[in-house]
Amino acid sequence: MNTTPSEEKQSQDQEQERSDRESSEKTDRISTEANPITTNDVQEIDEKKLIRKLDLRLVPWLSILYLLAFLDRTSSPMVSLYGMEKDLHITDTQYLLALTIFFFSYSVFEVPSNIVLKRIRPSIWLSFLMTMWGICMTVQGLVHNYGGLLGTRWLLGFFEAGLFPGVAYYLSCWYKRSELGLRIALFFSAATVSGAFGGLLAAAIENMDGVGGKRGWSWIFILEGIVTIIAGIASFWIIQDFPDRATFITEPERQFLINRLQEAGRNTSNEPFSVKYVLQSMRDYKTWICMLIYMGFDGALFAFSLFTPSIINQLGFKATPANLLSVPVYVWACIITCVVGVLGDRFGRRGDLNMLFFGIGAVGYIILIISRNPALSYFAVYLAACGMYPTIRTAWVSANVEGSYKRSVTLAMCIGFGNLNGAYRAKDTPWYRLGHSIVLIYILTGFTASLIYKIVCVRENGRRERGERDEIIDLSDSPMGGDGLGMDGDGKVRGGRGDEKNGRFGSVEEAKREKGDAWSGYRYVT
């Protein structure tokens, strides 16, 4: 029988996917045979002790990496207070473009970077990215003109792009959905620490003004870049790979981790890459709702981090006092971020927490818009911080996306889109009414999108409870028959007929693997 070229290509793709899966299963089987694990070995593992072990080996170093990455974003506005614009002979508009171009390359490269991360060891990919952005940051301190500044900023965004979405995905491969909130909050709190630490560091390094013929702002970039390069090289030996290849855990611990993730609904199989997983993410309307949530806090967040020193400066404080007065704001943001992470893991209801803190942030920006009192405006900055740092919704989105490639692509799309937003104009000083108004719109967008996403998840969970999403599972040898077995909220098979429109599969595992979070046994976190 003759076949068309498209049919032949589809057949070849299916054969390649089947071959990759068989190869992966064979590798796992050989590894198991070479290192036999008994049931007692796994049962004797202390789960709490193992989780503490993961926390100590994974989270602290990743947080340090993000602190170094965010130092660039906090340093860039601070150096403007120390004469960078004057030395490079650039206008306010050119300065804003230099800040903004970073986010274009940052946003575009996030999805490809997460796909590469899944195919390459994290210890290699993340270390490479960090070393390269350290080099770019060092060179940024050596530029003499506007073109050089634009080039280094674009490259910085290109190489920094892979860290945050990559780590968010990486942690989701180690922890259950109910454990992600605190870990990502601790990781993301490095952004708040960098805001505080960056202000102190910039104030200290500025005293090197004139050393080696370089201005103080140049030394800020040079020294921070050198530290980043050293950390990037060290990361090759410090960053651990995914659970199936990590070296700091024993084989029984590895099997225990895989089992607990599978029981929690996570797909731990080494699924081969396929474009269909990317398309699953892009075709899922919930992905686009989450992108609006990210726009809500990212637009506010980066405007906040880029211009907080300038805002405080325009309230009547000089450069160094302005940087120092930004420190307690970031300390507060760090505390509230970690508290919300704990509450989210313990009680769930991530959507409610999101809307609560978006609301507090909106109040802060309303005060900033109408206030003409420096003390009141400074207080409002603390409220504004509540509208962005605690609302970092990586844990919520990650918990509601299943399938390793789909999850990595969805996280990258959301974070990338969010990073395209946020800026102030220097000519709007001292009160930045227009900038504050735009950020308020971002926050209200995030609030509205969070409400819609919560409603969508609640309704979809209800449809699955009622069996409206049940697939047909062909279990011909099962005493229950094979004409459609649904799933309850715990992912256990229940009787009843499925619907052909929901798909027909040879096993529950196949349905879970192929449908991801669209599988009838999956329940969304609300």
Side-chain angles (χ1 to χ4, degrees), residues 503-521:
R504 179 182 292 269
F505 302 93
S507 66
V508 173
E509 288 303 316
E510 181 186 356
K512 291 170 63 176
R513 182 179 63 249
E514 294 299 319
K515 298 191 68 176
D517 55 88
W519 170 56
S520 62

Side-chain angles (χ1 to χ4, degrees), residues 23-267:
S23 175
S24 175
E25 291 173 352
K26 181 179 179 181
T27 300
D28 293 342
R29 185 171 63 255
I30 292 174
S31 176
T32 302
E33 291 172 353
N35 302 281
I37 304 171
T38 65
T39 303
N40 288 336
D41 290 335
V42 177
Q43 291 178 341
E44 291 175 358
I45 292 175
D46 186 330
E47 183 174 12
K48 291 185 178 179
K49 184 177 179 180
L50 177 58
I51 297 304
R52 285 196 298 270
K53 182 178 180 180
L54 298 184
D55 291 340
L56 291 174
R57 291 301 298 270
L58 302 179
V59 179
W61 185 251
L62 294 174
S63 299
I64 291 174
L65 300 189
Y66 196 55
L67 184 152
L68 293 173
F70 225 82
L71 272 178
D72 165 62
R73 304 184 202 179
T74 53
S75 296
S76 293
M78 289 174 185
V79 297
S80 70
L81 301 179
Y82 296 125
M84 183 185 72
E85 295 176 57
K86 181 180 179 181
D87 292 342
L88 296 182
H89 307 291
I90 60 177
T91 65
D92 172 52
T93 300
Q94 289 175 319
Y95 170 66
L96 290 178
L97 287 174
L99 293 180
T100 304
I101 196 172
F102 168 92
F103 296 106
F104 284 104
S105 56
Y106 189 101
S107 301
V108 170
F109 191 57
E110 284 185 307
V111 172
S113 179
N114 258 22
I115 293 175
V116 173
L117 176 67
K118 179 72 172 83
R119 299 175 66 86
I120 298 179
R121 291 163 52 191
S123 59
I124 295 176
W125 184 241
L126 294 179
S127 301
F128 167 75
L129 292 178
M130 187 166 191
T131 303
M132 292 305 297
W133 95 55
I135 293 174
C136 292
M137 192 167 182
T138 302
V139 174
Q140 189 175 217
L142 303 176
V143 299
H144 295 91
N145 53 54
Y146 182 54
L149 180 63
L150 285 179
T152 53
R153 292 293 298 171
W154 192 92
L155 288 173
L156 265 173
F158 184 84
F159 289 114
E160 281 192 33
L163 183 66
F164 185 63
V167 170
Y169 167 69
Y170 171 77
L171 291 176
S172 73
C173 295
W174 283 94
Y175 294 99
K176 295 192 295 186
R177 296 193 293 170
S178 60
E179 299 167 339
L180 265 180
L182 175 59
R183 277 76 190 181
I184 290 182
L186 289 171
F187 165 70
F188 185 71
S189 65
T192 65
V193 174
S194 75
F197 181 64
L200 295 172
L201 191 63
I205 298 178
E206 199 274 335
N207 293 320
M208 294 180 65
D209 188 38
V211 176
K214 295 292 181 184
R215 293 295 307 275
W217 64 264
S218 294
W219 281 114
I220 292 174
F221 286 132
I222 292 170
L223 295 181
E224 290 178 0
I226 291 173
V227 172
T228 302
I229 293 171
I230 295 172
I233 295 173
S235 294
F236 179 78
W237 291 277
I238 298 176
I239 293 178
Q240 294 294 323
D241 293 318
F242 294 114
D244 60 335
R245 298 189 64 175
T247 59
F248 76 103
I249 53 176
T250 65
E251 288 303 320
E253 289 174 337
R254 192 188 319 279
Q255 189 59 54
F256 181 84
L257 284 172
I258 292 174
N259 290 346
R260 72 191 293 271
L261 288 173
Q262 289 175 337
E263 291 172 359
R266 279 292 191 219
N267 179 11

Side-chain angles (χ1 to χ4, degrees), residues 267-472:
N267 179 11
T268 59
S269 63
N270 294 320
E271 60 185 10
F273 174 73
S274 175
V275 176
K276 72 178 181 181
Y277 298 123
V278 179
L279 296 178
Q280 279 181 356
S281 177
M282 297 179 68
R283 291 170 177 168
D284 189 342
Y285 70 95
K286 293 188 295 298
T287 299
W288 301 91
I289 298 175
C290 291
M291 288 168 66
L292 291 176
I293 297 176
Y294 267 80
M295 184 183 78
F297 70 77
D298 258 355
L301 172 66
F302 292 123
F304 186 85
S305 63
L306 287 173
F307 290 93
T308 296
S310 295
I311 292 171
I312 296 176
N313 174 248
Q314 294 302 326
L315 295 179
F317 300 96
K318 300 298 182 182
T320 295
N323 281 336
L324 295 177
L325 279 173
S326 68
V327 172
V329 176
Y330 288 110
V331 172
W332 162 252
C334 179
I335 294 171
I336 198 68
T337 298
C338 293
V339 169
V340 172
V342 172
L343 293 176
D345 283 348
R346 178 167 298 183
F347 301 109
R349 306 184 68 113
R350 299 189 189 277
D352 294 335
L353 288 170
N354 223 34
M355 290 182 284
L356 172 63
F357 284 94
F358 268 133
I360 294 175
V363 172
Y365 272 99
I366 290 172
I367 295 175
L368 284 171
I369 292 171
I370 64 177
S371 171
R372 292 298 176 268
N373 181 289
L376 179 60
S377 295
Y378 184 63
F379 168 73
V381 170
Y382 286 84
L383 296 181
C386 294
M388 53 203 77
Y389 288 98
T391 57
I392 186 75
R393 289 284 42 99
T394 308
W396 194 18
V397 175
S398 179
N400 283 341
V401 182
E402 192 49 70
S404 58
Y405 275 111
K406 181 184 178 183
R407 187 164 66 251
S408 69
V409 171
T410 299
L411 285 169
M413 286 179 63
C414 292
I415 297 171
F417 182 72
N419 284 324
L420 287 173
N421 302 275
Y424 284 80
R425 299 185 308 180
K427 72 177 184 179
D428 293 328
T429 59
W431 303 107
Y432 293 102
R433 176 178 290 180
L434 177 62
H436 293 329
S437 299
I438 293 173
V439 171
L440 177 61
I441 293 173
Y442 278 131
I443 289 178
L444 294 177
T445 299
F447 179 93
T448 304
S450 297
L451 177 60
I452 294 172
Y453 187 59
K454 178 181 174 65
I455 293 173
V456 166
C457 291
V458 169
R459 288 183 175 180
E460 183 59 30
N461 285 345
R463 293 187 183 99
R464 296 180 186 189
E465 291 290 348
R466 295 189 296 271
E468 296 176 17
R469 301 296 193 221
D470 287 357
E471 303 86 0
I472 295 179

